[in-house]
Amino acid sequence: MTMSGINGRNLRNSGNSNSSEFYRGMVQAYIEKQNYETACFWADKLVSMNGGMQQDVYTLAKCLYLCGQYHRAANLLQHYSYERSNPHFRCLTARCLYMAKEYQKALEILDTGTRSAQVHRSRSSAWEPADPHKTISAQIFLLKGKIYEAMMNRILAAQNYKEALAADIYCVEAFDLLTQHQMLSTAEEVALLESLPFDKCLNSDVEFLRFIYSSKLKKYPFCGEEVQRPSQFPFLAKNLDVLTSEAERHFYNCDFQMAYKVSTQVTKEDPYHVGCLPVYVACLVEMKRATELFKIAHKLVEVMSESALAWYSVGAYYFLIGKHEQSRRNLNKALTIDPVFGPAWLLFGHSFATEREHDQAMAAYFKATQLMKGCHLPLLHVGLECGLSNNPQLAMKFLDEARLLAPKDPFIRHEMGVVKFNEKKYEEALSLFKETEEFVDRNKHSGVYLKKWEALYNNLGHVSRKLKKYEEAQRYHQKALLLCPANASTHSAIGLVHAVAGRTEAAIESFHKALSLRRDDAFSTTMLRYCIEKLVEESNNASDDEIVAADAVDDSDEESQIFAQKYSASKKKSADNTQGQGSSGKRGHPKTPDTGDMPGYLSWFKDSISKIESGSCGRSSDGPRHTSTPAAGESSAREKRMPSSGTEESEDRYPITRRKNRGRNSESSSEGERNITGNASSSDAEGNE
């Protein structure tokens, strides 16, 4: 070969090297400008220009991934077989397959050995992308955790997330997945935080990192404690993630007004903040803001229709206005997108429970229990449904498990008190209700949404009446009346207290008020009839006493004697007629029993009330009630259920116990006629009507 040929070859190689560097720089520039299609075009030419060098193949696969061409990117990487020896290639190949929903293939790629005899080493020397902190192992563990979670293997998913945190203390995504997906209990979260390798912090920011992770832990242990802004890091006071954590704390303190205020502050600055939106939606449900919920749900469906959160918001809106069939239809869409979205399963159960479909509601709650291991709300609602199904032993079992997860949650104690009341263990029920009342009194300064506790005061009144503490019972019912003045059940309960205490006229007045609010109240109608009959009996006896007294004053009065004889004859005739009607069954009222020596005919009332309680005179409001409807997300905190005063139908008979993240289904307003998704047919709407 001549000298001129050698020099020409060197010049061509030098020119090719310079050209490759130029195009590599251009590809990176287009990637930074989010012009992925152009970057992908020139990256493909680089691969051909340099014969498939690892660096160029990796760049092209990354561009294809950014363009959403996951199968093509995975096929390219597997064609060159670089994933068998290079962990960066292995991670990118598995990520492409994961995005393409080929989970088993992705898992097999990650489990491939780091060495193989079939590796094409002749193509190029070993190359790795820039990774100054050597975090590729953490990324592999994180990806394996996501794959296992998609395959519904949450135990292995949690183990891999923990491994990712151990390999990279800054891998916040792994910590978020562990906490937000409720994979750990409260104690396990605290143990994880203590086990993190903070000594590996690169910038001596141990306290800062510890504070960030602490703000993401469960808020149940802090229930009832005052929420404070971070004083040691004042620059984080307006950070959206920190404000979201503060809103969750307020929500689990039942301070829905403050939670709504903080979450609104976040959504105004970032309307699509994924971490804050569940809390915001739960607050809107708790506060019955249907119009505002309609607007945010409609906006989310338009902007992020592929997100489970958007369809969950639509389902929450329809649940709030009482259209449960449409609510479940949209929740099905959310669960199709993300089958492990726990809040959607909770709301699914609430929609069935509102319609008193206990079996289907419990099935949804059990599914939520599997997906939300560290959340107490599914267990709380399962216990509530067991109580409604007359299974107090099973109800207490689930409520005890819920209390282990959230020992300071007042609603758990309240539900346990209802179960104890139904078991006729009134002293234990009173103790549990008193503990809940202490929480309410202790947190009045923080603006607790007191209307939610109307059920508590009514239940305290019921159990006090059972213990014959009539004055105390009346005081509690009056407190409940201050919170919800238009509740007919409270007026009925006050009337019952007056009746058993012998205050007949006051009882009649209370039952009249109850019937003015709800005309079809069977209990108030029955008790009002009894009270009126008793009042007539008292007035007749008083008239008899006056006649006897007049006879004693002037026996010689001829007119008085004649009147007394006529009155005695008419009274005897009336008694005979009454007895004949009663024996023939034509008269609907029961015969008044002997009053005995008890003042105010209390024995007669006890007999009447016992008939009512046994079901002979209609169902009474004599006892704590569970609601059929529900905060969070949480929520919804329960729910964070994240729980409300109940439907009108449930209020007819039972005091209302709060269900987190549920809304009143009787308050269907004009917003309910609007179609939130914008594409439902009119026939669907008519069918749901």
Side-chain angles (χ1 to χ4, degrees), residues 227 245-256 258-259 262:
V227 181
S245 176
E246 180 181 335
E248 289 181 8
R249 287 279 302 277
H250 285 300
F251 185 85
Y252 284 109
N253 276 351
C254 306
D255 192 352
F256 304 121
M258 197 64 191
V262 177

Side-chain angles (χ1 to χ4, degrees), residues 122-355:
S122 59
R123 292 186 181 275
S124 175
S125 59
W127 171 88
E128 290 185 355
D131 186 14
H133 303 313
K134 304 298 180 184
T135 59
I136 186 60
S137 60
Q139 294 301 312
I140 290 176
F141 283 123
L142 175 63
L143 184 56
K144 287 182 71 174
K146 290 182 178 180
I147 294 171
Y148 278 123
E149 187 174 5
M151 298 172 70
M152 304 303 292
N153 192 337
R154 295 170 68 83
I155 297 176
L156 289 178
Q159 291 179 0
N160 280 277
Y161 291 148
K162 292 178 183 179
E163 292 289 343
L165 280 168
D168 181 12
I169 186 64
Y170 293 97
C171 189
V172 181
E173 185 179 2
F175 196 88
D176 280 341
L177 290 170
L178 282 169
T179 55
Q180 293 181 5
H181 290 190
Q182 306 289 343
M183 292 188 178
L184 304 176
S185 65
T186 303
E188 289 173 337
E189 285 185 356
V190 174
L192 175 64
L193 183 64
E194 296 299 326
S195 66
L196 291 179
F198 289 105
D199 55 333
K200 295 182 180 179
C201 291
L202 304 175
N203 196 28
S204 300
D205 50 0
V206 176
E207 293 302 322
F208 175 72
L209 201 58
R210 187 184 295 274
F211 171 78
I212 293 295
Y213 283 142
S214 298
S215 66
K216 295 179 177 294
L217 298 179
K218 286 184 175 59
K219 311 303 183 295
Y220 317 140
F222 310 105
C223 190
E225 298 180 7
E226 188 174 357
V227 181
Q228 297 180 349
R229 294 286 176 89
S231 57
Q232 64 272 40
F233 304 107
F235 57 88
L236 291 176
K238 295 185 178 180
N239 182 267
L240 298 186
D241 290 335
V242 175
L243 288 175
T244 299
S245 176
E246 180 181 335
E248 289 181 8
R249 287 279 302 277
H250 285 300
F251 185 85
Y252 284 109
N253 276 351
C254 306
D255 192 352
F256 304 121
Q257 295 281 2
M258 197 64 191
Y260 170 75
K261 180 180 178 181
V262 177
S263 58
T264 302
Q265 180 182 349
V266 175
T267 52
K268 281 184 177 179
E269 187 171 345
D270 184 0
Y272 311 108
H273 193 285
V274 179
C276 186
L277 280 173
V279 183
Y280 182 57
V281 170
C283 290
L284 294 178
V285 172
E286 290 290 346
M287 300 175 69
K288 310 295 185 297
R289 295 179 177 265
T291 303
E292 193 170 347
L293 182 56
F294 173 85
K295 292 179 180 178
I296 187 64
H298 190 74
K299 186 187 298 183
L300 290 176
V301 169
E302 286 184 345
V303 175
M304 40 197 292
S305 60
E306 297 301 319
S307 169
L309 181 59
W311 296 106
Y312 167 74
S313 303
V314 178
Y317 167 74
Y318 282 119
F319 176 84
L320 179 57
I321 65 174
K323 295 190 175 182
H324 302 293
E325 183 63 33
Q326 292 187 19
S327 174
R328 288 193 288 270
R329 190 183 307 162
N330 288 281
L331 291 172
N332 269 327
K333 293 181 181 179
L335 293 172
T336 301
I337 296 172
D338 185 4
V340 298
F341 190 54
W345 283 108
L346 270 178
L347 190 57
F348 212 93
H350 295 342
S351 68
F352 281 121
T354 303
E355 296 178 340

Side-chain angles (χ1 to χ4, degrees), residues 51-54 79-87 90 113-128:
M53 292 181 61
Q54 286 190 3
H79 173 72
Y80 286 95
S81 301
Y82 290 141
E83 81 282 355
R84 301 188 181 186
S85 62
N86 193 318
R90 188 160 59 251
T114 57
R115 294 186 180 182
S116 176
Q118 300 178 0
V119 175
H120 295 230
R121 298 181 181 274
S122 59
R123 292 186 181 275
S124 175
S125 59
W127 171 88
E128 290 185 355

Side-chain angles (χ1 to χ4, degrees), residues 17 25 104 109 118 164 174 190 209 221 261 264 298-299 302 360 400 402 407 437 445 448 468 493 519 539 563 601 651:
S17 176
Q104 191 60 44
I109 291 293
Q118 300 178 0
V190 174
L209 201 58
K261 180 180 178 181
T264 302
H298 190 74
K299 186 187 298 183
E302 286 184 345
Q360 297 185 64
D400 283 332
E437 185 189 18
H445 66 278
V448 170
K468 304 186 185 307
R519 295 183 179 180
S539 63
F563 179 81
Y601 298 102
E651 288 172 357

Side-chain angles (χ1 to χ4, degrees), residues 554-667:
D554 189 6
D555 289 337
S556 62
D557 189 353
E558 185 177 6
E559 293 182 355
S560 297
Q561 292 178 3
I562 295 172
F563 179 81
Q565 292 174 0
K566 289 183 178 180
Y567 176 80
S568 299
S570 63
K571 187 170 180 62
K572 181 178 180 181
K573 182 178 180 181
S574 174
D576 294 338
N577 291 337
T578 303
Q579 185 175 3
Q581 290 176 357
S583 61
S584 62
K586 293 181 180 179
R587 184 175 181 182
H589 302 302
K591 183 179 178 181
T592 305
D594 228 354
T595 58
D597 296 331
M598 299 186 68
Y601 298 102
L602 184 57
S603 62
W604 179 78
F605 266 97
K606 286 183 176 294
D607 180 68
S608 301
I609 292 169
S610 65
K611 291 181 181 178
I612 295 171
E613 291 179 343
S614 63
S616 61
C617 299
R619 298 184 62 179
S620 91
S621 62
D622 180 30
R625 300 167 293 180
H626 295 280
T627 185
S628 301
T629 57
E634 259 79 68
S635 137
S636 282
R638 138 202 323 194
E639 101 187 335
K640 222 334 185 231
R641 223 117 169 81
M642 229 158 51
S644 86
S645 62
T647 65
E648 291 185 359
E649 185 178 0
S650 66
E651 288 172 357
D652 291 352
R653 300 177 177 91
Y654 303 99
I656 305 157
T657 39
R658 174 181 178 273
R659 240 185 225 290
K660 295 187 177 179
N661 299 330
R662 300 195 188 180
R664 184 187 300 271
N665 68 346
S666 61
E667 295 184 358

Side-chain angles (χ1 to χ4, degrees), residues 337-567:
I337 296 172
D338 185 4
V340 298
F341 190 54
W345 283 108
L346 270 178
L347 190 57
F348 212 93
H350 295 342
S351 68
F352 281 121
T354 303
E355 296 178 340
R356 302 190 179 184
E357 296 286 347
H358 300 304
D359 293 338
Q360 297 185 64
M362 289 179 68
Y365 291 143
F366 276 123
K367 182 64 176 180
T369 304
Q370 296 174 5
L371 298 176
M372 307 168 73
K373 175 186 175 183
C375 182
H376 71 288
L377 294 179
L379 294 170
L380 169 61
H381 293 302
V382 170
L384 195 151
E385 294 301 322
C386 290
L388 289 171
S389 302
N390 296 323
N391 195 337
Q393 289 79 16
L394 199 58
M396 286 302 298
K397 176 183 177 182
F398 283 108
L399 291 173
D400 283 332
E401 291 182 11
R403 187 165 60 172
L404 291 176
L405 294 176
K408 295 185 179 181
D409 192 297
F411 298 102
I412 298 175
R413 286 181 171 80
H414 187 216
E415 292 300 329
M416 295 175 78
V418 173
V419 174
K420 292 297 183 184
F421 182 96
N422 291 331
E423 291 182 310
K424 302 186 184 303
K425 299 178 180 179
Y426 302 125
E427 293 291 348
E428 296 181 34
L430 182 63
S431 175
L432 290 165
F433 287 144
K434 287 283 189 182
E435 291 179 15
T436 311
E437 185 189 18
E438 290 176 4
F439 170 86
V440 177
D441 294 339
R442 187 169 61 249
N443 289 273
K444 279 183 179 179
H445 66 278
S446 62
V448 170
Y449 198 45
L450 288 175
K451 192 175 181 180
K452 288 293 177 186
W453 298 108
E454 175 261 346
L456 169 65
Y457 291 117
N458 268 331
N459 291 347
L460 278 165
H462 291 312
V463 74
S464 297
R465 188 191 71 249
K466 286 292 187 181
L467 295 172
K468 304 186 185 307
K469 302 176 181 179
Y470 300 127
E471 297 301 326
E472 189 174 344
Q474 184 178 354
R475 188 177 74 252
Y476 281 124
H477 288 310
Q478 290 293 343
K479 282 186 177 182
L481 203 60
L482 290 175
L483 299 179
C484 297
N487 192 348
S489 297
T490 306
H491 287 287
S492 298
I494 293 174
L496 183 58
V497 172
H498 286 312
V500 297
R503 299 187 289 266
T504 311
E505 293 184 2
I508 291 174
E509 183 180 355
S510 296
F511 289 131
H512 273 302
K513 289 180 180 178
L515 289 171
S516 69
L517 295 171
R518 189 170 60 240
R519 295 183 179 180
D520 59 344
D521 189 344
F523 171 74
S524 296
T525 303
T526 304
M527 285 302 301
L528 180 61
R529 186 177 70 244
Y530 283 138
C531 289
I532 292 175
E533 288 182 356
K534 177 178 182 292
L535 197 61
V536 170
E537 287 286 336
E538 289 177 346
S539 63
N540 288 340
N541 290 335
S543 299
D544 291 347
D545 292 342
E546 291 177 0
I547 293 172
V548 172
D551 291 342
V553 171
D554 189 6
D555 289 337
S556 62
D557 189 353
E558 185 177 6
E559 293 182 355
S560 297
Q561 292 178 3
I562 295 172
F563 179 81
Q565 292 174 0
K566 289 183 178 180
Y567 176 80

